[in-house]
Amino acid sequence: MGTIDGLPPLREVLQAHDLVARKQLGQNFILDLNLTARIARAAGDLSACDVLEVGPGPGGLTRGLLIEGARRVLVVEKDPRCLPALEEIAATVPGRLQIVLGDALAVDVRSMLTPPIKVVANLPYNVGTELLIRWLTPAVWPPFWSSLTLMFQREVAERIVAKPRTDHYGRLALLAQWRADARIVMTLPPEAFTPAPKVHSAVVHLTALPEPRYPCDGAVLQRITAMAFNQRRKMLRSSLKALAPGIEGVLESVGIPPTARAEEIGLEAFCALARAVAP
Ligand code: SAM
């Protein structure tokens, strides 16, 4: 049995398995193992955790996670062409790497994981935001994961960590920050990937809070923020008119000026409003 460190460089792996990147699968691979090790380290101590990795591709980040000591890594990959490269890694770490072939939006792998569970992924951009929203909106909280360490286009990363009165502030920031601590831990230029995408990327680290930061019904909060930010330049008394009769009075009762715009209002005030209008 070989060791992970004895595996061939990723560029050779791509050639050996004829893994030409496919755009429709969001395939922008990271071939620098120092970089994948840094991303794995950004997830914190992995030694007592199961790690879920979505979209391992040829396995650069997977190697990093295993080298950094993850107890077990479960990868979900849609492209069957990646399986031989992943199986070569698995053979060097008996029992520690499980490979699932499938669409991460369709397969439910939670029963295959033992808590504590960390999610670490260089996500395909086309499914990244959808997966994040699903992970942030489970039926029960706390969720199955304790932290998410995820690569996004930098603009999406900025939307996740944005604060009020900034350009990127909106629904995604409120959703993420309601139930998690979120920060950008790394930014990467296009050249870090093969092939290079058009945009910069960033890694966001989210830690699940034991309970939401401020109490309120998640569905009501989402409805309010959707209404408020779909017309972000309008005053709230107008964008939220259909929310409740006498919306001006309701806004005032929770300390929100009815003439304020969505981007000026912080999470705590949105949660207070959600409580005020909850059925
Ligand atoms: N983790 C590798 C790396 O860092 O080099 C590859 C990252 S690449 C940006 C995204 C990977 O996700 C590709 O391997 C692609 O085939 C895979 N992928 C795309 N859509 C997927 C889906 N719906 N479910 C699972 N994997 C998917």
Side-chain angles (χ1 to χ4, degrees):
M1 184 186 76
T3 63
I4 291 199
D5 291 329
L7 288 168
L10 287 162
R11 218 167 271 286
E12 284 177 27
V13 172
L14 291 188
Q15 274 168 6
H17 300 294
D18 203 17
L19 267 172
V20 179
R22 292 205 175 134
K23 202 173 173 185
Q24 66 272 33
L25 283 168
Q27 291 183 334
N28 300 97
F29 301 128
I30 301 180
L31 304 184
D32 176 350
L33 291 171
N34 291 318
L35 190 50
T36 58
R38 274 180 56 208
I39 299 168
R41 280 198 291 274
D45 183 8
L46 301 176
S47 59
C49 299
D50 277 12
V51 176
L52 168 62
E53 185 194 356
V54 174
L61 181 54
T62 318
R63 291 194 204 183
L65 295 166
L66 290 162
I67 290 169
E68 290 306 313
R71 177 175 68 191
R72 268 182 75 242
V73 178
L74 188 147
V75 295
V76 183
E77 173 56 61
K78 193 172 176 184
D79 185 351
R81 299 178 308 147
C82 297
L83 291 188
L86 296 168
E87 275 154 11
E88 280 166 17
I89 301 172
T92 67
V93 285
R96 287 179 62 208
L97 175 59
Q98 186 175 355
I99 304 160
V100 174
L101 178 65
D103 181 343
L105 293 168
V107 293
D108 187 358
V109 289
R110 274 170 298 179
S111 61
M112 300 179 209
L113 292 158
T114 308
I117 298 161
K118 292 188 172 184
V119 181
V120 186
N122 174 12
L123 290 168
Y125 290 145
N126 47 354
V127 293
T129 314
E130 177 157 0
L131 280 173
L132 174 66
I133 291 171
R134 285 191 192 186
W135 288 329
L136 287 169
T137 53
V140 286
W141 196 267
F144 74 93
W145 51 271
S146 59
S147 72
L148 308 172
T149 307
L150 307 172
M151 180 87 67
F152 291 100
Q153 290 174 254
R154 190 168 65 186
E155 198 239 316
V156 176
E158 283 169 356
R159 281 169 45 208
I160 295 167
V161 304
K163 297 295 174 207
R165 297 175 188 274
T166 62
D167 287 348
H168 293 290
Y169 184 60
R171 295 176 67 187
L172 198 55
L174 287 157
L175 183 61
Q177 295 169 36
W178 182 47
R179 285 173 153 175
D181 282 325
R183 62 199 166 92
I184 292 179
V185 290
M186 205 184 289
T187 53
L188 291 90
E191 312 81 73
F193 301 84
T194 303
K198 288 200 176 68
V199 294
H200 280 66
S201 299
V203 178
V204 183
H205 183 71
L206 299 108
T207 312
L209 297 172
E211 54 192 57
R213 204 174 295 276
Y214 307 107
C216 72
D217 182 303
V220 177
L221 179 64
Q222 284 208 57
R223 182 157 166 252
I224 292 175
T225 56
M227 290 172 79
F229 283 95
N230 281 348
Q231 299 176 296
R232 61 187 292 144
R233 302 274 162 228
K234 281 201 173 172
M235 292 179 191
L236 290 171
R237 68 177 176 206
S238 154
S239 57
L240 298 182
K241 204 170 182 167
L243 187 64
I247 189 64
E248 290 209 22
V250 182
L251 287 164
E252 272 166 354
S253 75
V254 295
I256 300 176
T259 52
R261 293 175 169 80
E263 62 201 17
E264 298 164 32
I265 305 303
L267 173 62
E268 187 171 8
F270 271 118
C271 292
L273 181 59
R275 288 195 301 275
V277 301

